[in-house]
Amino acid sequence: MADPVRFDVVDGVAVATIGNPPVNALSAALRAGLFRAVQRAEADPAIRGLVIAAEGRTFIAGADISEFGKPPASPTLAELVAALDGAAKPVVAAIQAAALGGGLEVAMACSWRVIGPRAKLGLPEVKLGLLPGSGGTQRAPRLMGAAAALRLMVVGDPLDAEAAVASGLADTVVAGDLLAAAREWLGRPKPKPVSQRDEGLGSREDFEKEAAALAKRATTEPQVADCIACVRAAFEMPFAEAVAFEREAFLRLLDDPRSKALRHVFFAEREAARIAGLPAGTQPRPVARAAVLGSGTMGAGIAMCFANAGIPVRVIETDEAALARGMERIRGTYESSVKRGSLAPAKRDERLALIEGAVGLDATAEADLVVEAVFEEMGLKKQVFAHLDRVTKPGTILATNTSYLDIDEMAAATSRPQDVLGMHFFSPANVMKLLEVVRGRDTSPEALATAAEIGRKLAKVPVVVGVCYGFVGNRMLSRRTQQAERLLLEGATPEQVDKALVDFGFRMGPFAMSDLAGLDIGWRIRRATGKRAPVADALVEAERLGQKTQKGYYLYPDGARTGVPDSEVTALIRRVAAQEGVEQREIGQAEILDRLVLPMVNEGARILEEGIAARPGDIDVVWLHGYNWPAWRGGPMHYADSVGLLHVVARLAEFAQQTGDDSLLPSPLLARLAAEGGSFAGLKAG
Ligand code: 3H9
């Protein structure tokens, strides 16, 4: 492997250039290279100072996250930082791009930070459930003041070049030759190390005010409280003691399941971006214009996604009246963003100018990508696809936003099934990040790559999945919905079921969610597919449709947004349970949670067995971005690993026996992994 640090000496100045692609993470080899560079510069009397520079898209992206949990290799980051801090000769960090986490900690241990206009300086460790663990909680406060430093590390977003200099974190922005400027700075008198600049901390009172404001974020995030404690330690302890205090907090957080889950999410999101089985060199097709069929809630939201990304889009309806309603819906949504202050009026106008209405499918002729969001009815969808096949250009991607229907059947209505796929957005489409890109039997690699690429341009998180009823997300959700209904029959109340999921970290439970969406939606789907849900059906028959009728699973007196329990619902459930012959009992919160979540994991395992998802992490990403699964729980498959697959299998077998429902029996893959002592994380990518 090439040495990640190049060492050159020119005119008495040593330059250590970092080249550790892709992001210059501080791997053991990079730490060793930098450590050697400091030693060489210190030892050679002909060298008057050292510049640390980097090549590539970042300066240093931080500690190498993939090394966490492995035995530490010397020199550790703490040792490297201490060597820089204690160097007798001056050291300049010449920061051309992002210096994050441990990367900024390295830079803060240098004498100066000279930065380019593209530089970004940040301490994003909180996003991984951690805190800066190599002196960052002590040096940042001494450079920018304790209050500002605390905000930087608790919010986790980096500062751009101008803001970094204004804050005191960096010394100067250089538009021209960064290396030359860095060399020049070496001519100045060496300042005292940042570790000795206690006067930089600023006022304790300002810090405590900021800490009180930021502490509110700390409900599920232990790292926030630790950041506050560490920065407070800067006021209360000598530097070395405070660094030891920080180290102890860092190691504790590193071992916390919440940080492990967040680190899993970091890698799963990046892995999901690589489409499994795509031939090397597959190129996405350019998409300059899009068309969206249908301007209902989904169609309008999807059209806005294109406009928000600067892509001209035609919204197509069957008649003028429907089109006028759709365009009004779009204008209304932008208008409320302007009123809330989240969108500038000029931006609204820019986006609206990119959206053009049209009547009739022939208006798709110029589109490079068409997303169909018409009614969920196969006959209609097939007609639409046959028509699109006749009027669109060769190579146009023909996508459906169906939530459940068979994409291969739609593709068969065209002469170009290789260009047909699913682009399944989640409601509200202009807000939710997930995009399930559904690969049909004949979908070409180029079409797939194009949909994923455009998804990223729309600021979505695309995950490639295969064809089946409900794809990944809704297929798993239906398992949870079944169990939620069944739990009511067995004696749990709607609020107990909802509470189990809210306590787990979801923003809302399934029944509060149904009330919000309207119970008639699920009812209509069940009618169309011949399914039953006795409690939900009985509520609809009693005209309890949710918030819109001020009663559903809960009561919403005077249009309240939060429901209150209703004894009529308890009586209704009891009656339905008796009719269904289900005996009621007390059910504890832990059992409710397992009943809701573990059948989803089981379905996830079936999805993997069938190759509908390529990797367990892809399923996790679906749940994180489509259904607000709490990130610090890592997604359903990671969660199953964290509680242990043996436990999952044993619980599922128990539930199957209790309820007589064989669909709860552990899937073969789950049973095998549990028996082998394996985990989903240990599965090889498909
Ligand atoms: C820390 O520093 C702790 C210290 O305080 C104390 C320690 C004692 N390590 O995101 P991309 C990989 S904690 C290992 O697609 P971009 C990534 O997995 C760290 N690998 O690129 C991907 O691999 P692959 C604090 C890393 O241009 C590839 O690089 N730092 C790391 O869109 C490209 O990544 C952070 O939290 C890493 N640190 O975005 C910063 N970073 O190609 C984390 C990236 O195999 N990183 N990889 O899938 C980021 O936020 C973004 O990667 C960055 C570039 C903005 C840098």
Side-chain angles (χ1 to χ4, degrees):
M1 220 172 65
D3 193 333
V5 178
R6 201 177 67 231
F7 189 83
D8 304 296
V9 182
V10 182
D11 295 339
V13 170
V15 181
T17 310
I18 300 166
N20 191 27
V23 293
N24 296 335
L26 284 157
S27 62
L30 175 53
R31 296 194 306 270
L34 286 175
F35 196 79
R36 262 195 317 272
V38 179
Q39 283 178 325
R40 280 173 75 176
E42 287 282 274
D44 187 342
I47 294 177
R48 60 190 162 88
L50 172 67
V51 177
I52 298 180
E55 283 166 354
R57 65 199 215 233
T58 59
F59 173 69
I60 300 176
D64 188 330
I65 305 166
S66 65
E67 284 183 3
F68 287 161
K70 297 182 185 155
S74 195
T76 62
L77 194 49
E79 285 162 352
L80 170 62
V81 162
L84 286 164
D85 187 84
K89 292 181 184 169
V91 185
V92 187
I95 303 174
Q96 90 293 6
L100 302 176
L104 182 56
E105 291 179 298
V106 164
M108 289 191 294
C110 296
S111 320
W112 302 282
R113 286 140 298 282
V114 173
I115 70 179
R118 283 196 312 114
K120 285 195 183 319
L121 273 54
L123 294 168
E125 286 90 340
V126 276
K127 295 187 181 179
L128 298 169
L130 300 169
L131 50 64
S134 294
T137 67
Q138 302 308 305
R139 285 192 181 80
R142 286 173 168 81
L143 281 166
M144 61 195 303
L150 182 67
R151 174 156 285 275
L152 182 74
M153 59 187 89
V154 169
V155 176
D157 294 334
L159 302 180
D160 64 20
E162 295 291 341
V165 173
S167 73
L169 205 49
D171 295 282
T172 185
V173 190
V174 178
D177 186 339
L178 190 61
L179 210 54
R183 296 173 64 95
E184 231 172 77
W185 275 72
L186 284 175
R188 304 184 178 211
K190 183 178 183 303
K192 66 179 173 183
V194 177
S195 57
Q196 293 169 26
R197 297 185 210 167
D198 290 359
E199 66 284 1
L201 291 173
S203 116
R204 173 82 185 247
E205 202 187 331
D206 289 353
F207 161 74
E208 293 297 348
K209 247 193 245 155
E210 190 72 2
L214 292 169
K216 295 194 186 89
R217 295 178 177 238
T219 46
T220 54
E221 299 176 339
Q223 68 274 28
V224 172
D226 278 319
C227 282
I228 294 173
C230 285
V231 178
R232 187 173 286 130
F235 289 100
E236 295 176 348
M237 295 176 197
F239 185 84
E241 213 175 292
V243 166
F245 182 76
E246 171 202 89
R247 183 84 203 140
E248 193 229 274
F250 178 82
L251 291 175
R252 180 166 25 80
L253 291 171
L254 197 60
D255 210 31
D256 189 297
R258 286 167 282 199
S259 171
K260 287 183 185 158
L262 289 168
R263 273 137 54 198
H264 160 77
V265 170
F266 179 84
F267 287 115
E269 284 178 344
R270 280 154 184 83
E271 190 172 29
R274 282 193 294 275
I275 302 174
L278 205 66
T282 304
Q283 287 301 321
R285 295 178 196 153
V287 174
R289 313 182 153 273
V292 176
L293 310 186
S295 63
T297 317
M298 277 319 273
I302 297 169
M304 290 169 69
C305 293
F306 283 99
N308 297 351
I311 301 170
V313 57
R314 236 177 219 179
V315 177
I316 296 172
E317 265 297 352
T318 44
D319 60 58
E320 291 291 350
L323 183 62
R325 280 195 302 275
M327 296 300 278
E328 200 37 56
R329 179 172 285 129
I330 293 173
R331 267 191 292 275
T333 312
Y334 279 135
E335 210 43 60
S336 49
S337 303
V338 170
K339 282 207 185 97
R340 268 202 317 274
S342 59
L343 184 71
K347 277 265 174 252
R348 169 202 58 199
D349 297 344
E350 237 172 66
R351 291 175 185 186
L352 279 171
L354 289 169
I355 306 178
E356 183 195 358
V359 170
L361 292 179
D362 293 356
T364 55
E366 289 155 33
D368 302 304
L369 168 75
V370 181
V371 183
E372 159 292 295
V374 304
F375 287 121
E376 282 284 83
E377 206 272 299
M378 184 54 94
L380 174 64
K381 301 247 187 206
K382 277 160 74 170
Q383 266 177 24
V384 164
F385 272 86
H387 195 134
L388 289 175
D389 189 27
R390 286 196 298 278
V391 298
T392 55
K393 300 182 294 189
T396 296
I397 306 290
L398 306 180
T400 169
N401 178 51
T402 184
S403 305
Y404 292 98
L405 300 179
D406 184 349
I407 286 163
D408 292 331
E409 213 179 319
M410 295 177 217
T414 73
S415 64
R416 39 173 135 170
Q418 72 278 6
D419 293 334
V420 177
L421 44 71
M423 285 178 73
H424 182 211
F425 290 79
F426 287 70
S427 188
N430 52 320
V431 176
M432 294 305 285
K433 288 265 180 214
L434 177 64
L435 177 69
E436 281 182 331
V437 175
V438 191
R439 171 189 230 154
R441 192 179 43 229
D442 299 316
T443 307
S444 71
E446 289 78 23
L448 209 56
T450 308
E453 171 80 6
I454 201 77
R456 273 187 288 277
K457 285 202 180 130
L458 304 187
K460 301 292 166 201
V461 179
V463 180
V464 174
V465 301
V467 176
C468 65
Y469 188 78
F471 314 121
V472 169
N474 283 341
R475 177 168 159 180
M476 288 168 70
L477 178 67
S478 74
R479 292 292 177 195
R480 191 180 87 179
T481 310
Q482 267 168 15
Q483 291 307 312
E485 157 89 19
R486 174 81 204 183
L487 282 162
L488 296 185
L489 288 176
E490 288 179 29
T493 62
E495 51 280 19
Q496 284 169 342
V497 173
D498 281 348
K499 183 174 185 311
L501 284 184
V502 170
D503 288 353
F504 184 75
F506 279 94
R507 281 190 221 145
M508 239 187 207
F511 296 124
M513 184 64 99
S514 291
D515 276 356
L516 182 66
L519 270 68
D520 47 328
I521 296 179
W523 183 75
R524 247 185 257 121
I525 296 175
R526 287 195 297 278
R527 286 271 294 231
T529 51
K531 294 201 174 107
R532 331 181 28 234
V535 175
D537 291 345
L539 286 168
V540 173
E541 278 147 29
E543 288 173 23
R544 303 185 67 115
L545 302 187
Q547 290 199 18
K548 60 179 143 191
T549 55
Q550 300 198 4
K551 55 188 185 170
Y553 288 97
Y554 300 94
L555 273 183
Y556 299 87
D558 305 321
R561 310 281 281 170
T562 325
V564 289
D566 184 357
S567 57
E568 269 183 37
V569 172
T570 322
L572 178 144
I573 296 172
R574 205 173 297 131
R575 207 167 52 241
V576 176
Q579 281 161 11
E580 298 288 317
V582 181
E583 208 170 298
Q584 295 211 308
R585 63 190 169 97
E586 281 283 323
I587 312 178
Q589 288 287 289
E591 181 176 345
I592 292 176
L593 181 69
D594 281 356
R595 277 283 292 278
L596 294 170
V597 172
L598 303 186
M600 285 174 45
V601 169
N602 204 19
E603 199 60 32
R606 291 191 191 105
I607 282 170
L608 286 171
E609 268 165 350
E610 293 167 23
I612 298 295
R615 303 160 286 229
D618 291 3
I619 298 179
D620 288 339
V621 174
V622 162
W623 272 81
L624 290 156
H625 293 291
Y627 302 84
N628 290 322
W629 180 284
W632 55 273
R633 298 268 194 193
M637 309 317 274
H638 175 87
Y639 174 72
D641 278 350
S642 73
V643 297
L645 297 191
L646 271 178
H647 167 78
V648 174
V649 161
R651 291 297 272 162
L652 284 168
E654 250 174 71
F655 296 151
Q657 200 190 359
Q658 254 173 39
T659 59
D661 177 356
D662 283 352
S663 75
L664 289 171
L665 284 171
S667 79
L669 173 66
L670 185 52
R672 174 173 67 77
L673 286 176
E676 289 169 354
S679 64
F680 288 114
L683 277 177
K684 287 266 167 287

